[in-house]
Amino acid sequence: GFRYYMVNNCEFNSSKLNDIEYTQSYYYNKLEYIRFSSSVGKFVGYTEHGIKNAERWNNGPEVISRRAQKESYCFRNVGVLTESALTKS
């Protein structure tokens, strides 16, 4: 069968907003075809289908909502994650 999935990722070195990168990757059959990265600030396509979607999403409301995810999804959880990791080490 075919498999479609999406992965949200927050990479950080500290709890400062500038040290956090948010990515959202879309996969089909284990092949990443499009990704949003907060450091780039837009969607980037890696396949023909991904390039078409990136172009459309970068000109629509999707890119604006993803830009906000760095703060709403990552930043609010970084403190919880770092505190949890520090108390366990």
Side-chain angles (χ1 to χ4, degrees):
F2 299 102
R3 187 170 216 181
Y4 164 81
Y5 58 99
M6 178 179 56
V7 176
N8 291 305
N9 192 27
C10 299
E11 293 185 23
F12 56 94
N13 293 323
S14 74
S15 59
K16 295 178 185 173
L17 191 58
N18 291 341
D19 292 336
I20 300 171
E21 182 182 13
Y22 168 74
T23 58
Q24 183 178 52
S25 299
Y26 294 80
Y27 294 86
Y28 184 73
N29 281 350
K30 300 180 183 178
L31 176 67
E32 182 179 24
Y33 67 92
I34 191 168
R35 176 190 299 172
F36 174 84
S37 169
S38 64
S39 62
V40 176
K42 65 180 184 175
F43 289 93
V44 176
Y46 299 109
T47 65
E48 183 179 342
H49 178 69
I51 292 168
K52 288 179 184 177
N53 277 324
E55 192 174 301
R56 187 169 48 93
W57 292 353
N58 286 330
N59 292 315
E62 294 86 0
V63 75
I64 295 167
S65 66
R66 291 305 171 275
R67 288 177 182 156
Q69 289 292 336
K70 177 179 176 177
E71 191 166 344
S72 64
Y73 181 76
C74 294
F75 185 65
R76 70 174 211 188
N77 291 311
V78 165
V80 173
L81 295 171
T82 53
E83 182 65 29
S84 174
L86 291 174
T87 58
K88 302 230 187 303
S89 58

